[in-house]
Amino acid sequence: MYDTLIIGSGPAGMTAALYASRSNLKVGLLERGIYGGQMNNTADIENYPGYELISGPELAEKMYEPLEKFGVEHLFGQVVEVQVEGSVKKVITEDDTFEAKTVILAMGAQHRPLGAPGEAEFNSRGVSYCAVCDGAFFRNQDLLVVGGGDSAVEEAIFLTQFANSVTIVHRRDELRAQKIIQDRAFANEKITFLWDSVVEEIKGDERKVQSVNIRNLKTGEVTEHAFGGVFIYVGLDPMSEAVANLGITDEHGWVVTNELMETNQPGIFAIGDLRQKQLRQITTAVGDGATAAQQAYHYITELEG
Ligand code: FAD
Ligand code: NAP
């Protein structure tokens, strides 16, 4: 029986594990893949206090290092369901069932597909959701980036180090990305913009992507553009399927909490990108993790008198 079982080892889950273990709780940190979460897909992080510039995998490593020292148990598995049986929570993976007094949900979010024709067909054959993972395969090519948020614009800038040119297609005439990121993109000679436009179809041959049909939303005109690769950054979906049975999510699947990270299920907390919240960042994920661990400690102390 764990005092606290944390599902997901992104920055939110690792911080919760640090704080809970330092409170002397018996902590399990359950992850289906590699620790670090979305940080593993980020080349440069410039807005984590204390570091002017650090790569995502390096920051993940630094967050992971101290956990062993405080006795956090690392568990591996894909959680498929969480059940509540009185004060005991059962966390069920494909191979195991774990029991805990409290559960901290930190499963984060993952890229949302665009839903355009050709997207699934050319996935990994020119269509990518991760510039850090795939960018180097697209040297000297003309690339399309879809979206207008931080991810799209930042990753477009990252891709210019490999690509011949990068075009950002955005459905409005104004970016959503932070101003400093926008300014860098506007100043980059390799980047051009297609405003008020959406991807109509991704096309190619039996090998890979060759072109993209783009529709201008103002004129309705569809034009075909030659591109060797398409990077899609149109937002995130919550990884909350495993807790869909608990009645703790909103209509879009984000987990609803109060400011103490409590869900409406006593002893179940949610943190980081998985939560219904305004700002999805490493800093906010880390703050959530610290708060939830402290609340888990209080919950257990009250439960056990
Ligand atoms: P995640 O990082 O998503 O981690 C969730 C973890 O849970 C993952 O490891 C996943 O494998 C695991 N998991 C999910 N489901 C299950 C399951 N069923 N069973 C077991 N494990 C599961 N933020 C910044 O502050 N600065 C930046 O520069 C920055 N750049 C970014 C660049 C990109 C391209 C992207 C996509 C995001 C960026 N972000 C940045 C946002 C930041 O990465 C996220 O806000 C942060 O990682 C969220 O942390 P998290 O721990 O909540 O979730
Ligand atoms: P996001 O902020 O939700 O932006 C998604 C973008 O895609 C928006 O510009 C949106 O257009 C567009 N879009 C959505 N659906 C679309 C569709 N069907 N067709 C065409 N365009 C579509 O997502 P994100 O950029 O991935 O960022 C996710 C989170 O991570 C954010 O909280 C962000 O701040 C954070 N992040 C931070 C950093 C950083 O701090 N450096 C870097 C990356 C990510 P509209 O603008 O019209 O809605």
Short mmCIF file of all heavy atoms in Angstrom, two decimals, residues 151 195 249:
data_model
loop_
_atom_site.label_atom_id
_atom_site.label_comp_id
_atom_site.label_asym_id
_atom_site.label_seq_id
_atom_site.Cartn_x
_atom_site.Cartn_y
_atom_site.Cartn_z
N SER A 151 3.95 26.59 -29.32
CA SER A 151 4.63 25.41 -29.87
C SER A 151 4.93 25.61 -31.35
O SER A 151 6.06 25.41 -31.79
CB SER A 151 3.77 24.15 -29.70
OG SER A 151 3.63 23.83 -28.35
N TRP A 195 -1.52 33.64 -43.67
CA TRP A 195 -2.54 34.03 -42.68
C TRP A 195 -3.94 33.59 -43.13
O TRP A 195 -4.17 33.37 -44.31
CB TRP A 195 -2.55 35.54 -42.48
CG TRP A 195 -1.23 36.10 -42.00
CD1 TRP A 195 -0.36 36.86 -42.71
CD2 TRP A 195 -0.65 35.92 -40.70
NE1 TRP A 195 0.74 37.18 -41.95
CE2 TRP A 195 0.60 36.63 -40.71
CE3 TRP A 195 -1.03 35.25 -39.54
CZ2 TRP A 195 1.43 36.67 -39.60
CZ3 TRP A 195 -0.18 35.31 -38.43
CH2 TRP A 195 1.02 36.01 -38.47
N THR A 249 -13.76 15.04 -14.70
CA THR A 249 -13.30 15.83 -15.86
C THR A 249 -14.41 16.76 -16.37
O THR A 249 -15.60 16.54 -16.11
CB THR A 249 -12.88 14.90 -17.02
OG1 THR A 249 -13.94 13.98 -17.26
CG2 THR A 249 -11.62 14.13 -16.69
#
